[in-house]
Amino acid sequence: MDPMTFEAMRAAFVNCSRSQLKALPPPPGLADLDWPNLDYLGWRDPKAPRRAYLVAPHGADVVGLALRAPQGSGRRKGSAMCALCASVRTTSEVDLFVAPRAGSAGRAHNTVGTYICTDLACSLYVRGLRELDLPQGERLPVPARVARLTERLAAFVARAVQN
Ligand SMILES: [Zn+2]
C-alpha cells in the first residue's frame, strides 16, 4: 500500500455512520508502519474488541470497511484457514468478520462476511514476516501468495462496496 494519513483513512470509509467515524480509533503504530509490505491495513478497536477496521486498495482508490467479529473466538478447538491469506491457524486465531455493505444495501442491513486472521496481519504471514504456530501445507512462493491475498481481498472489498 501507499502510505496514507489517518485523516485520509477516515475519509475512505464507506460503510459506517458519522458517529462511528468520529469514534474511529487510529491504527496502532501508524507512524512506523511497513507500508510496502502491506496489502491492506487492519486493526482492532481497543475499546470494542469485536470491532475491527480494514483499509485496502480498491482499483485506483482506497476503501475503508468497518467490520464486526460477532462470533467471538477461543471457544472451538482445532484449526481453521484464513480466507484471505490461506494461513492455517488455530480456530481462536481466525474470526468470521462481517461488514455492512456500503450505501443503501448496508442501510437495509445487508452484510458480507469472510474468515480473516484475528490479528488482521495477513500481509505479514504471506511474506513470512511473522511466524505461524501451526504447520502449513503450503509451498507456494511468496509472490504467488501475495497475489492470491490481493485477489481475494479485492473480491471481498468489491462485494462490500457494490450496490
Ligand atoms: Zn489471514
Side-chain angles (χ1 to χ4, degrees):
M1 285 185 73
D2 293 329
M4 60 192 300
T5 63
F6 182 48
E7 288 68 32
M9 286 177 206
R10 199 198 293 268
F13 274 79
V14 294
N15 70 341
C16 39
S17 67
R18 273 182 203 167
S19 58
Q20 269 181 296
L21 277 182
K22 260 179 102 173
L24 183 71
L30 179 58
D32 304 311
L33 287 175
D34 185 10
W35 291 99
N37 282 322
L38 290 179
D39 304 299
Y40 73 90
L41 176 61
W43 69 102
R44 307 294 292 234
D45 190 330
K47 289 184 189 151
R50 294 267 171 106
R51 287 180 194 271
Y53 306 95
L54 182 154
V55 173
H58 178 59
D61 252 344
V62 172
V63 158
L65 292 175
L67 310 171
R68 293 188 312 268
Q71 196 171 24
S73 52
R75 282 174 301 187
R76 295 151 297 145
K77 292 193 169 159
S79 62
M81 186 181 276
C82 171
L84 294 185
C85 70
S87 296
V88 178
R89 314 205 57 183
T90 63
T91 48
S92 64
E93 294 172 328
V94 175
D95 265 336
L96 173 62
F97 284 97
V98 172
R101 290 177 61 200
S104 55
R107 287 192 291 276
H109 305 293
N110 281 309
T111 59
V112 295
T114 195
Y115 287 90
I116 311 177
C117 292
T118 303
D119 56 8
L120 299 154
C122 302
S123 306
L124 304 182
Y125 297 120
V126 294
R127 290 169 176 79
L129 297 173
R130 191 178 285 182
E131 290 291 317
L132 290 157
D133 291 336
L134 296 183
Q136 307 290 309
E138 178 107 87
R139 290 294 175 268
L140 272 185
V142 168
R145 300 179 69 191
V146 171
R148 182 177 55 194
L149 168 56
T150 52
E151 197 175 293
R152 291 177 172 188
L153 177 67
F156 177 64
V157 172
R159 279 166 58 214
V161 301
Q162 76 189 187
N163 275 295

